[in-house]
Amino acid sequence: MAHLTIKHNRERGTYIEGTARGDGTNEILKAHGWRWGRSISVWFVPHSRDREMKTHVVNPTKAALEAARHIVTIERDETPRTAEEVEADAAARAARRAEYLEAKVQRRAAAAEKAHQDSDRAAAQLPPGGEPIKVGHHSEGRHRNALDRAHAKMGKAVQADRDAEEAQRRASSAATTTAARYSVRTVANRIKSLTADLALYNRRLDGYTEMPGTPYESHIDPAAGEYRERIQRLRDETADKLHYWKGVRADQIETGAATNYTPEMIAVGDHVQVRGPRWWEVARVNKKSVTLISDHFHQRIDYELLTGHRPASK
């Protein structure tokens, strides 16, 4: 029996203290989706940092641990960090991961080079010219052993190459993580998503009508009690994130990395670009998007994703 504490806060996420090797907790935690963090030496819930505690994971875990006669307590702190703090921390972690993976690339490359050298030495010990095994000859055993060694060394060299290539792929991906997170398209999409989330939380706080004007119309009362407190917390957190990312986009517009087209700037018959070099004709100007004429259909593109504009008169 172990005395365990499941802890959750926004900076570290959800983790558990008090486990020990051989106490049987590892199988229970793995079965409920927890992972062992080698760098932090604790079991943790993946993707739980800077999010509300995943009760659908924690509560069944607690029940299973208690059924195994462990004593479990939960310490929960849902105080959110600011979006600026979250992003600075994420960038720092990404940089550390990229540095670690780059060092791993060097180690794997060195291991692959050594494996090939071992393979070459093993091949050099084989009889020249691909001489066949002389069955029954006193050299048969030595010849077979040399072939086995050469085959094994070649296999290790091939695997070492694959390991080095995988390490390089992961390092390359890690090196671009922060840049990808702050790409113009990603920032625009994040703002749109956060705006929708904020509107949803406000509706739940104020109350709203579902399917108005239909036979299924129904009024939803404003959130109350603990649920209202949770929605208010999520609303405030979302508003802070939206403010942060709008600031990022404003900087992108100021530096010319992003465009800032509006319905007043574009007219039917104009041509616009969407990332690539092709110019698309505008079929309709909408409040939040333009409808473009494609080869076989029309498609709507948000103004934030337009990368160029050419009036019809030009």
Side-chain angles (χ1 to χ4, degrees):
M1 180 180 67
H3 291 263
L4 309 173
T5 304
I6 296 176
K7 295 185 176 183
H8 175 83
N9 60 64
R10 294 305 184 89
E11 182 177 359
R12 294 191 61 183
T14 305
Y15 58 101
I16 186 168
E17 293 182 344
T19 63
R21 185 183 296 273
D23 65 3
T25 57
N26 61 330
E27 294 299 326
I28 295 174
L29 293 170
K30 282 193 290 187
H32 287 81
W34 294 60
R35 294 181 187 171
W36 173 254
R38 287 183 296 177
S39 61
I40 55 178
S41 299
V42 295
W43 288 91
F44 70 98
V45 176
H47 310 297
S48 59
R49 185 184 283 114
D50 290 307
R51 299 183 181 182
E52 288 205 328
M53 188 177 76
K54 300 179 180 180
T55 54
H56 65 282
V57 174
V58 171
N59 290 344
T61 300
K62 181 176 184 292
L65 290 169
E66 290 175 337
R69 305 180 66 80
H70 297 293
I71 299 174
V72 185
T73 57
I74 297 177
E75 296 180 4
R76 182 178 182 180
D77 180 5
E78 293 292 358
T79 304
R81 299 192 291 174
T82 66
E84 187 174 358
E85 291 174 323
V86 172
E87 292 303 315
D89 188 22
R93 291 199 312 272
R96 290 194 298 269
R97 176 172 172 77
E99 183 178 353
Y100 164 78
L101 289 175
E102 187 56 40
K104 189 174 185 178
V105 167
Q106 301 303 321
R107 294 195 302 271
R108 291 290 174 86
E113 177 63 24
K114 183 180 183 302
H116 277 285
Q117 292 174 355
D118 293 342
S119 177
D120 291 341
R121 282 193 293 268
Q125 295 175 7
L126 295 174
E131 181 180 341
I133 296 175
K134 297 177 181 178
V135 179
H137 192 267
H138 65 83
S139 64
E140 178 183 355
R142 184 173 63 252
H143 195 164
R144 290 188 184 277
N145 289 337
L147 285 172
D148 289 342
R149 283 195 300 273
H151 180 75
K153 295 294 184 182
M154 177 58 74
K156 289 183 178 179
V158 171
Q159 185 58 51
D161 279 341
R162 290 173 179 168
D163 292 343
E165 290 173 359
E166 175 62 15
Q168 183 62 64
R169 183 193 66 78
R170 295 178 65 187
S172 299
S173 176
T176 60
T177 295
T178 300
R181 184 170 177 79
Y182 281 78
S183 72
V184 171
R185 190 181 188 93
T186 300
V187 171
N189 288 336
R190 184 173 288 115
I191 289 173
K192 183 193 299 184
S193 177
L194 289 170
T195 300
D197 290 343
L198 186 61
L200 174 62
Y201 295 140
N202 283 328
R203 286 200 304 272
R204 290 179 177 176
L205 290 173
D206 298 338
Y208 59 98
T209 300
E210 280 190 338
M211 306 181 71
T214 72
Y216 306 100
E217 178 178 323
S218 62
H219 179 71
I220 307 301
D221 292 330
E226 292 184 2
Y227 178 63
R228 182 176 183 82
E229 293 177 2
R230 176 173 178 268
I231 296 300
Q232 286 176 325
R233 185 169 61 247
L234 290 173
R235 189 269 310 275
D236 294 343
E237 187 176 358
T238 301
D240 178 61
K241 290 179 181 179
L242 183 58
H243 175 75
Y244 175 84
W245 288 108
K246 282 186 174 180
V248 171
R249 179 162 180 81
D251 290 340
Q252 291 176 335
I253 293 172
E254 184 176 354
T255 60
T259 60
N260 191 31
Y261 294 115
T262 64
E264 294 74 23
M265 299 178 180
I266 300 174
V268 173
D270 289 358
H271 287 78
V272 296
Q273 284 181 314
V274 186
R275 291 194 295 177
R278 177 174 176 177
W279 290 92
W280 302 79
E281 184 179 348
V282 177
R284 186 179 300 111
V285 177
N286 313 301
K287 182 178 180 181
K288 298 181 179 180
S289 64
V290 290
T291 302
L292 307 181
I293 300 176
S294 183
D295 296 333
H296 305 291
F297 56 90
H298 288 189
Q299 58 178 332
R300 298 181 66 170
I301 301 295
D302 293 339
Y303 290 105
E304 294 88 347
L305 304 182
L306 301 180
T307 56
H309 171 233
R310 188 166 64 192
S313 59
K314 295 185 179 181

